[in-house]
Amino acid sequence: MDEPARPRHMAPVPSEVSAGPTVPSPEELMIRVAKGDERAFELLYDQFAGPIYGLVRRIVRDAAQSEEVAQEVLVELWRTATRYAPDKGSALNWAMTLAHRRAVDRVRSARASTEREQKATFEAARGRPFDEVAESVTARLERSQVRRCLSFLTDLQRESVLLAYYQGYTYREVAEVLSTPQGTVKTRLRDGLIRLRDCLGVTA
């Protein structure tokens, strides 16, 4: 079934059509939509767009993404209307089930993307020389020696090192705490750890 010409930002249905007692029920409209009736889809769109967006917004939170997901659900209604079975529940409940599934999928997808990005950043960082220096410093030297050498760092270098290697912050979290770009944070960590290495006499 082809997609209707204007599923997004449709003009309101004229009041003389939508307000009368002869307006078909959502279930009847779904049956017509399943047959390719674009006018029925317009009427259904006007009835379902608000509830669907409201449900999606509560799950996704972000307004722009919620609008996008809601539109995807409405288009899915058009494309899969033939699967609707009136004897298994109301058309609205069926539509809201689709909306809930789509919204949850969007949240899971966004979360997985964030986790992949963090993992990639971590893996990339592991191979950097200054990370190897950090492991050597924490494994081989006493706390008192480290504290003494930390005092020779600039304030910005010391803050970055302490947050990243003694409080377990990621580069992104350090950048957020210090209100500094991630690239600058990585430079501070590198320079700070090199100075620590030189102060402590560690060979990387």
Side-chain angles (χ1 to χ4, degrees), residues 146-154 158 196:
V146 175
R147 283 197 297 269
R148 178 177 62 82
C149 289
L150 281 171
S151 68
F152 293 110
L153 303 184
T154 66
R158 185 166 53 253
L196 277 177

Side-chain angles (χ1 to χ4, degrees), residues 41-142:
F41 181 70
E42 291 180 9
L43 291 167
L44 197 69
Y45 184 101
D46 287 338
Q47 293 184 39
F48 284 6
I52 287 174
Y53 176 79
L55 173 63
V56 172
R57 181 66 188 275
R58 287 195 296 273
I59 298 171
V60 177
R61 304 288 182 156
D62 179 78
Q65 288 198 51
S66 296
E67 183 177 349
E68 182 179 331
V69 173
Q71 292 297 329
E72 291 174 358
V73 173
L74 289 161
V75 171
E76 186 177 357
L77 284 178
W78 167 261
R79 292 175 175 171
T80 64
T82 54
R83 301 178 189 172
Y84 170 65
D87 58 326
K88 293 184 179 180
S90 71
L92 180 59
N93 284 343
W94 187 68
M96 296 297 269
T97 299
L98 294 179
H100 184 273
R101 185 182 306 129
R102 281 266 185 173
V104 171
D105 286 346
R106 176 61 65 94
V107 171
R108 288 175 176 168
S109 176
R111 185 178 301 154
S113 177
T114 299
E115 290 174 353
R116 284 195 300 269
E117 181 182 342
Q118 291 175 342
K119 182 178 180 180
T121 299
F122 175 75
E123 292 297 332
R126 284 180 58 124
R128 294 181 178 270
F130 55 88
D131 283 309
E132 295 173 4
V133 174
E135 292 177 2
S136 179
V137 166
T138 55
R140 294 169 52 193
L141 299 169
E142 296 292 335

Side-chain angles (χ1 to χ4, degrees), residues 145-146 148-150 152 194-202:
Q145 292 176 293
V146 175
R148 178 177 62 82
C149 289
L150 281 171
F152 293 110
I194 288 173
R195 294 186 67 176
L196 277 177
R197 178 195 63 191
D198 293 343
C199 174
L200 296 163
V202 175

Side-chain angles (χ1 to χ4, degrees), residues 154-195:
T154 66
D155 290 343
L156 297 178
Q157 289 172 343
R158 185 166 53 253
E159 287 176 345
S160 298
V161 170
L162 289 174
L163 286 171
Y165 295 103
Y166 291 93
Q167 296 188 40
Y169 282 47
T170 64
Y171 292 139
R172 178 180 295 177
E173 291 168 340
V174 173
E176 291 175 352
V177 170
L178 300 180
S179 299
T180 304
Q182 285 191 53
T184 302
V185 165
K186 291 181 180 180
T187 299
R188 290 176 182 172
L189 287 169
R190 180 196 63 203
D191 294 344
L193 289 169
I194 288 173
R195 294 186 67 176

Side-chain angles (χ1 to χ4, degrees), residues 10-23:
M10 292 182 178
V13 179
S15 58
E16 64 268 22
V17 175
S18 60
T22 58
V23 175

